[in-house]
Amino acid sequence: MGGVLGCVIVDQSTVGMKEQFGKFKRVVKPGIHFVPWCCGINVAGRLSLRVQQLDDNVFVTVVASVQYRAIQEAAFDAYYKLTNPRSQIQSYVFDVVRASVPKMILDDVFEQKSDIAKNVEEQLEKAMTNYGWEIVQTLIVDVEPDETVKRAMNEINAAQRSRQATREKAEAEKLLQVKRAEADAESKYLSGVGIARQRQAIVDGLRESVVAFSNNVPGTSPKDVLDMVLVTQYFDTMKEIGSHSKNSTVFIPHGPGAVKDVADQIRNGLLQGHAGSH
């Protein structure tokens, strides 16, 4: 009935494209409008100003959700410049995601979803504003690589982690070797100090014994006392060796002058150790 009377209704959140003999005349806003069709005037189409959403599955790996709407002040551009704005937006999403995602490892794709979405939104905003469309929001709602891509990315990621683990293991082994060397050097130093002190104590003890014996037994020289002490220690040592069945056999000279030779050898060795400790 409205068409017969030349009246057209444009719904809320919608604008109409008024043409006369096929040429754009103006944008009509929501409400009732007189359109005298007999003069070649008609509403060629309507454009929704509501926010629309496009869910795009890129390579079956990244699902991008783009919310967009026509700019009322640029309704002419939004209606006439693009035949299919959804397809155009989809193409831009493909280009941006294809340019960024393949450069990332799998972990970064999950961690940087907001960065990917921001990049997509910026690129879309630059392109679609010229056509009368506003990008309200862009979200990366899911990341699920197909099995081939997931397997390849996991292999790359595993190789990188293996190299990192190898480097860390080498550093730990290097540190362990340094600590072992430091501990060994410290142990040898302390062992040397202990041996030097032990020899010094033996020499001091022998000296005190010699002096005490010389004072108590007139006519004995310190050399005689030292020879007797050393020979006594020598026979004590031989007795200790013979009392253990698991000890190896030790061959020593046993002649008339053997005791004197042994005493001289022991005394010289102790004196050399005493001189070395100083």
Side-chain angles (χ1 to χ4, degrees), residues 27 29 43 60 74 79-80 86 91 94 155 218 257 263 278:
V27 175
K29 297 182 179 181
V43 174
V60 197
Y79 186 80
Y80 287 101
R86 291 177 65 89
S91 297
F94 267 112
E155 288 176 358
H278 289 284

Coordinates of all heavy atoms in Angstrom, one line a residue, residues 27 29 43 60 74 79-80 86 91 94 155 218 257 263 278:
V27 N 20.9 10.1 1.2 CA 20.7 9.0 2.2 C 19.5 9.4 3.0 O 19.4 10.5 3.5 CB 21.9 8.8 3.1 CG1 21.6 7.8 4.2 CG2 23.1 8.4 2.3
K29 N 17.1 8.7 6.3 CA 17.2 8.2 7.6 C 15.9 7.4 8.0 O 14.9 7.4 7.3 CB 17.4 9.3 8.6 CG 18.7 10.1 8.3 CD 19.0 11.2 9.4 CE 20.3 11.9 9.1 NZ 20.6 13.0 10.1
V43 N 13.8 4.0 -3.4 CA 14.8 3.6 -2.4 C 15.4 2.3 -2.9 O 14.8 1.2 -2.9 CB 14.2 3.4 -1.0 CG1 15.3 2.9 0.0 CG2 13.7 4.7 -0.5
V60 N 42.3 -22.9 9.2 CA 41.8 -23.8 10.2 C 42.7 -23.8 11.4 O 42.9 -24.8 12.1 CB 41.6 -25.2 9.6 CG1 40.7 -26.1 10.6 CG2 41.0 -25.2 8.2
A74 N 29.2 8.3 6.4 CA 29.8 7.8 5.1 C 28.9 6.7 4.5 O 29.5 5.7 3.9 CB 31.2 7.3 5.4
Y79 N 27.7 1.9 1.0 CA 26.8 1.2 0.2 C 27.3 1.0 -1.2 O 27.1 -0.1 -1.8 CB 25.4 2.0 0.2 CG 24.3 1.2 -0.5 CD1 23.6 0.2 0.1 CD2 24.0 1.5 -1.9 CE1 22.6 -0.5 -0.6 CE2 23.0 0.8 -2.5 CZ 22.3 -0.2 -1.9 OH 21.3 -0.9 -2.5
Y80 N 27.9 2.0 -1.8 CA 28.3 2.0 -3.2 C 29.7 1.5 -3.5 O 29.9 1.0 -4.6 CB 28.0 3.3 -3.8 CG 26.6 3.7 -4.0 CD1 25.9 4.5 -3.1 CD2 25.8 3.1 -5.0 CE1 24.6 4.8 -3.2 CE2 24.5 3.4 -5.2 CZ 23.8 4.2 -4.3 OH 22.5 4.5 -4.4
R86 N 31.8 -7.9 3.7 CA 32.2 -9.0 4.5 C 33.4 -9.8 3.8 O 34.4 -10.1 4.4 CB 31.1 -10.0 4.7 CG 30.0 -9.5 5.5 CD 28.8 -10.5 5.6 NE 29.2 -11.7 6.2 CZ 29.2 -11.9 7.6 NH1 28.7 -11.0 8.4 NH2 29.6 -13.1 8.1
S91 N 39.3 -10.8 3.5 CA 40.5 -10.8 2.7 C 41.6 -10.2 3.5 O 42.8 -10.6 3.6 CB 40.4 -10.2 1.4 OG 39.4 -10.8 0.6
F94 N 42.8 -12.4 6.3 CA 43.7 -13.5 5.8 C 45.1 -12.9 5.6 O 46.1 -13.5 6.0 CB 43.1 -13.9 4.4 CG 42.3 -15.1 4.5 CD1 40.9 -15.1 4.2 CD2 42.8 -16.4 4.9 CE1 40.1 -16.2 4.3 CE2 42.0 -17.5 5.0 CZ 40.6 -17.4 4.7
E155 N 57.9 -29.8 16.5 CA 59.2 -30.3 16.3 C 60.3 -29.2 16.3 O 61.4 -29.3 16.9 CB 59.3 -31.0 14.9 CG 58.6 -32.3 14.9 CD 58.5 -32.9 13.5 OE1 59.1 -32.3 12.5 OE2 58.0 -34.0 13.3
P218 N 123.3 -40.1 82.5 CA 124.6 -39.5 82.2 C 125.5 -40.3 81.3 O 125.4 -41.5 81.2 CB 125.3 -39.4 83.6 CG 124.2 -39.5 84.6 CD 123.1 -40.4 83.9
G257 N 125.3 -54.7 60.5 CA 125.2 -53.2 60.4 C 123.8 -52.7 59.9 O 123.6 -51.5 59.7
A263 N 118.6 -46.9 61.2 CA 118.5 -45.7 62.0 C 119.0 -44.5 61.3 O 118.3 -43.4 61.4 CB 119.4 -45.9 63.3
H278 N 109.9 -26.2 57.3 CA 110.3 -24.8 57.5 C 110.4 -24.0 56.2 O 110.4 -22.8 56.2 CB 111.6 -24.6 58.3 CG 111.4 -25.1 59.8 ND1 110.8 -24.3 60.7 CD2 111.8 -26.2 60.4 CE1 110.8 -24.9 61.9 NE2 111.4 -26.1 61.7

